[in-house]
Amino acid sequence: MARFELKLPKMGESVAEATITNWLKEVGDRVEADEAVLEIATDKVDSEVPSEVSGILVEQLFGKDDLVQVGQTIAIIEIEGGELVSIVKEAVAPDVIAEVTKTVDDGKESVAAPVDFSDSEKFLSPLVKNIAKEEGVSVAELAAISGTGKEGRVTKNDILDYVKNRTSQPVVSAPVAVQKPIAAPVAQKAAPVSVSGGDEIIEMDRMRKLIAGYMIASVQTSAHVQSFIEVDVTNIVKWREKNKNAFEKREGEKLTYTPIFMEAVAKALKDYPGMNISVDGDYIIKKKNINLGMAASLPNGNLIVPVIKNADQLNLVGMAKAVNDLGGRAKAGKLKPDDTQGGTYTVTNVGTFGSVFGTPILNQPQVGILALGAIRKMPAVIETPEGDFIGIRQKMFLSHSYDHRVVDGALGGSFVKRVAEYLEAFDVNRDV
């Protein structure tokens, strides 16, 4: 038998770690190749980690809610063929193991009693725990080691250096009670209680807590201001009705209004690059690429914003494919963490739910977000060379929220007006 290390896969350049939210397979379960073993979550998206091989899950190296770094081994799957390989010896170079073993052998006594690291207040990787167990490093000793890893975590080198430099090995004959410093009591908000007994009290899920935190932080960070403009999209409605069936038959994709609107926004951002920026303290960062975030609602009621990269370089067919792909994977919970990274401007379609217009909150650190209102038939004054008359037109509102710290009304208003101009000038005879 051989052992396969299931590692946390790379999930994009900007994602370095993830939290385990649920184990789908338990120790002893059979795992097939490409079958999901566990669920993980980053700060933006939830996803699954599949197995690359078929075999039996024999070890879970992390528990639920543990934070794992990209590339770390999270589970061991036993597969047929080959020889048993020690996870510790695979993780640590043989010369390091020999050196550490010699250091222990030179000591007068070793610790035979097992050490339980569950009481440690520090995050300890499986590798550090294994080395600590083999070298007889107690929980108290680990607590005293100054970690050089992220957020002060103890790394492999930290514990190996400690083992080499300590003068004697501890002798454990009985459990020793370690006096922990007494901290001042922390006031925690108690869960609300229904007075009448008829109310249902539900704790927010992890994603809703993250969304709540992002929204509060955005309002506290940026000076939100809005501009609104009404747009006549009659030509767009006629063109879509005329071409949607042929488009779907030819491309295998549904033709919605969203890619048409995204195309207009991308064009306007090229005309007004001052909207395609972000803010970092006292500095303005002008973005080279136009990456459009597309707010999407999830079946569980939460919200996520996948990103269409280099949106200005896509034609309408490419934009439609990108919109449908990201929207479909968002609803199916199949987005990758990198799918939600790198956005420079966001569009949200509040009209999907019948809203005429809205006042969306900025997706930090972006400085603008556009809300698309519902398309409605409206009586309107139509100007012609023969005079004005009243007609039925398809109209909608665009609601533009922007950060007044760096975007003034002239820029914010001009940008949304340019989007409207592109939409109203849409060629009804345009080829798909």
Side-chain angles (χ1 to χ4, degrees):
M1 303 292 286
R3 293 189 172 191
F4 173 79
E5 291 186 352
L6 180 64
K7 300 179 182 292
L8 182 66
K10 186 176 181 181
M11 298 169 288
E13 295 181 0
S14 58
V15 181
E17 59 189 18
T19 301
I20 295 176
T21 56
N22 185 36
W23 281 96
L24 302 175
K25 294 289 183 179
E26 298 298 332
V27 172
D29 288 351
R30 174 77 182 175
V31 179
E32 301 298 334
D34 296 326
E35 186 178 10
V37 178
L38 68 157
E39 295 174 338
I40 60 172
T42 68
D43 61 344
K44 290 291 182 67
V45 68
D46 296 349
S47 57
E48 298 175 340
V49 177
S51 173
E52 300 173 43
V53 298
S54 298
I56 304 298
L57 180 63
V58 294
E59 288 187 61
Q60 294 176 346
L61 301 180
F62 291 89
K64 184 179 179 181
D65 297 328
D66 282 350
L67 190 65
V68 186
Q69 302 298 310
V70 168
Q72 275 191 301
T73 302
I74 49 182
I76 304 297
I77 298 174
E78 196 169 77
I79 57 179
E80 294 182 358
E83 299 177 354
L84 284 173
V85 183
S86 167
I87 179 61
V88 178
K89 290 187 179 180
E90 285 185 359
V92 186
D95 57 334
V96 176
I97 293 178
E99 188 175 351
V100 174
T101 304
K102 182 179 183 300
T103 304
V104 176
D105 291 341
D106 289 342
K108 298 301 179 182
E109 296 190 49
S110 61
V111 179
V115 182
D116 182 9
F117 295 103
S118 61
D119 292 334
S120 174
E121 296 182 352
K122 286 189 174 183
F123 171 84
L124 301 175
S125 70
L127 177 57
V128 170
K129 290 179 182 179
N130 284 325
I131 296 176
K133 288 177 181 178
E134 288 197 358
E135 310 313 327
V137 179
S138 67
V139 175
E141 288 178 281
L142 279 173
I145 297 176
S146 298
T148 60
K150 187 177 180 180
E151 298 178 352
R153 295 171 186 163
V154 176
T155 66
K156 177 188 73 175
N157 291 333
D158 293 333
I159 191 168
L160 291 178
D161 289 342
Y162 176 79
V163 170
K164 291 178 185 178
N165 296 327
R166 65 178 178 175
T167 56
S168 62
Q169 300 294 324
V171 179
V172 178
S173 57
V176 178
V178 180
Q179 181 66 39
K180 295 183 179 180
I182 300 175
V186 179
Q188 294 185 345
K189 184 176 178 60
V193 178
S194 172
V195 178
S196 65
D199 299 330
E200 184 180 4
I201 299 172
I202 303 172
E203 184 179 5
M204 294 182 188
D205 60 25
R206 187 194 64 85
M207 182 172 282
R208 177 50 56 183
K209 290 177 182 178
L210 287 172
I211 293 172
Y214 292 147
M215 296 300 99
I216 292 173
S218 182
V219 172
Q220 292 175 340
T221 300
S222 299
H224 284 65
V225 67
Q226 286 83 27
S227 292
F228 306 94
I229 192 166
E230 191 175 31
V231 191
D232 188 329
V233 292
T234 305
N235 286 347
I236 292 175
V237 173
K238 289 180 178 179
W239 180 85
R240 176 179 172 271
E241 287 299 318
K242 176 183 173 183
N243 292 283
K244 66 180 182 180
N245 292 333
F247 183 90
E248 184 173 1
K249 183 177 180 179
R250 189 189 75 193
E251 301 294 338
E253 302 278 350
K254 290 188 178 297
L255 179 61
T256 65
Y257 292 112
T258 302
I260 301 172
F261 297 140
M262 288 294 197
E263 181 185 57
V265 171
K267 289 180 180 179
L269 286 172
K270 293 189 74 171
D271 295 340
Y272 291 95
M275 288 305 311
N276 198 53
I277 67 174
S278 65
V279 179
D280 186 355
D282 293 332
Y283 296 90
I284 295 173
I285 302 172
K286 295 183 177 180
K287 297 296 185 177
K288 178 181 178 181
N289 299 326
I290 294 176
N291 300 333
L292 293 183
M294 179 183 73
S297 59
L298 300 176
N300 61 5
N302 288 324
L303 180 73
I304 199 165
V305 186
V307 177
I308 301 172
K309 307 292 174 60
N310 299 309
D312 58 313
Q313 299 178 21
L314 298 175
N315 59 18
L316 190 57
V317 174
M319 189 74 79
K321 289 181 179 292
V323 167
N324 292 340
D325 172 57
L326 290 173
R329 287 196 287 125
K331 291 180 180 178
K334 300 296 184 182
L335 286 176
K336 299 176 182 178
D338 203 41
D339 291 330
T340 61
Q341 305 294 322
T344 61
Y345 188 90
T346 296
V347 178
T348 179
N349 191 352
V350 299
T352 301
F353 313 104
S355 296
V356 178
F357 55 80
T359 55
I361 296 175
L362 293 170
N363 187 10
Q364 296 293 332
Q366 299 169 25
V367 300
I369 180 171
L370 185 70
L372 309 173
I375 298 175
R376 301 178 300 157
K377 289 184 178 180
M378 301 286 292
V381 175
I382 301 173
E383 297 179 358
T384 70
E386 291 76 26
D388 297 344
F389 65 92
I390 302 294
I392 303 300
R393 306 294 290 178
Q394 301 275 4
K395 290 200 169 189
M396 64 181 294
F397 282 100
L398 303 180
S399 309
H400 187 211
S401 291
Y402 46 95
D403 190 342
H404 212 351
R405 294 179 302 167
V406 291
V407 180
D408 293 328
L411 174 57
S414 297
F415 170 79
V416 71
K417 185 173 184 291
R418 181 59 53 85
V419 175
E421 289 170 352
Y422 279 126
L423 294 175
E424 292 187 339
F426 190 89
D427 184 4
V428 73
N429 296 314
R430 174 179 176 174
D431 292 333
V432 179

